[in-house]
Amino acid sequence: MVVSDLGQQLKEARLARGLSLDDVQEMTKIRKRYLEAIESGDYKVLPGSFYVRAFIKTYAETVGVDADELLTEHKQQVPDVDPEPTMEPVLQKRRSSRVAERNSKWLSTTLMWSFAVLILVVIYMYFAVWGKNTDQAKGDQPDPTPVTDVRQEGSTNNAGKAAGQNGTDGTAAGDNPGGTATPPNASSDGVNTDGGTNAGNEGTGTGGETGQQGVVVTPDGKEGSTTKFLVQASGSEPVKVVITASGKSWVEVRKGDRRGEKLYYENTSEGDVLTYDLGPEGLYVKSGASSNTVITVGGQVVTDGKSTTKIQLNLGTADSGSTSGDQGTAGNGEADGAGDQGGEG
């Protein structure tokens, strides 16, 4: 193998350091056949003139030779670096293809994520808007389970008729601060028109219902802002409490007292009729707009005379009612006796 002066100088420096071509290949990462071509001066084996100078410089620095001085000394043997115009278009083409590939990947990734986000937005809107509307539609319908809620045409007129037949007017009753319970057979001046017998036994309730026999409702004091009424019934039939609405009013009905179990707890509408049985535990009734509700107990209109009605109904015995009836009967007897004596005179 022919060795050039430059290659011979590099070879001697390599051998002086005790290095083989395999060692130099490992250290410089230059292929062994290129190193052999440099030592023999066969530069055509190398990829190009640029690589000739670069490989020679790297080889020289590895074996401890001044590369610049070596290239200057043997510049006649080392080919000049020729411009390689073909490299730039190739690099540009590769760079363009890489950019295009990167843009394509980015575009596909963006589209994929945009589609996923769009699906999530549609799902959210579906459940948020449609579900909310459904809940509102359900929430607008009151649950009539705990109470009897019947809408009847002309119930307002019936309520007014009941109030008139019981000798009381809703407006006039509202002027009475102590609360009133009007028996169905009593006149406006409180005198029993049926001779004092069975006071409050007959009357017409709200909505055209017939008043219950033997039911007497009397005021029983106050507890805070709540007016108490004692309800006395002589029969075994449950005492009916009827609330007739002629307009919107917040109505609260509880078993027992104002802290008891809720039976009704919402706004009423015109024509609503709520019916309950008065039990031994009592009944608490509150109406936010008294003028829009009529409350009857055993067919008798009951009011506390306030713009916001708060009534506590307690069930008692009928002893006082019977006594009142007996006294009324006795009074009528005395009046009849006096009349007879006057006739004899």
Side-chain angles (χ1 to χ4, degrees), residues 23 34 37 39 66 97 105 107 128 148 163 182 189-190 200 290 292 309 325 343:
D23 296 333
Y34 292 157
E39 288 184 356
D66 188 343
S97 62
K105 290 182 178 180
L107 181 61
T148 302
T182 308
D189 56 1
S290 302
N292 291 335
T309 298

Side-chain angles (χ1 to χ4, degrees), residues 23-42:
D23 296 333
V24 176
Q25 175 182 252
E26 181 67 25
M27 296 169 67
T28 60
K29 306 302 179 184
I30 301 174
R31 294 181 181 180
K32 182 178 178 180
R33 64 190 186 94
Y34 292 157
L35 297 176
E36 291 176 346
I38 291 173
E39 288 184 356
S40 62
D42 188 9

Side-chain angles (χ1 to χ4, degrees), residues 127-165:
F127 283 101
V129 177
W130 179 81
K132 184 177 180 181
N133 292 336
T134 303
D135 293 340
Q136 289 179 350
K138 291 181 179 179
D140 292 340
Q141 299 177 359
D143 184 8
T145 303
V147 298
T148 302
D149 189 352
V150 182
R151 293 173 179 254
Q152 300 177 353
E153 296 183 358
S155 60
T156 306
N157 295 332
N158 291 335
K161 181 180 178 181
Q165 290 178 350

Side-chain angles (χ1 to χ4, degrees), residues 44-67:
K44 294 180 180 180
V45 178
L46 276 69
S49 59
F50 173 79
Y51 292 100
V52 172
R53 299 180 68 86
F55 287 173
I56 290 174
K57 188 174 181 180
T58 303
Y59 189 177
E61 291 174 352
T62 303
V63 296
V65 177
D66 188 343

Side-chain angles (χ1 to χ4, degrees), residues 154-189:
S155 60
T156 306
N157 295 332
N158 291 335
K161 181 180 178 181
Q165 290 178 350
N166 286 302
T168 184
D169 180 71
T171 307
D175 297 334
N176 188 344
T180 60
T182 308
N185 293 324
S187 64
S188 58
D189 56 1

Side-chain angles (χ1 to χ4, degrees), residues 298-313:
Q300 304 174 49
V301 177
V302 176
T303 178
D304 61 356
K306 299 178 181 178
S307 58
T308 297
T309 298
K310 295 181 182 179
I311 292 175
Q312 174 67 46
L313 301 174

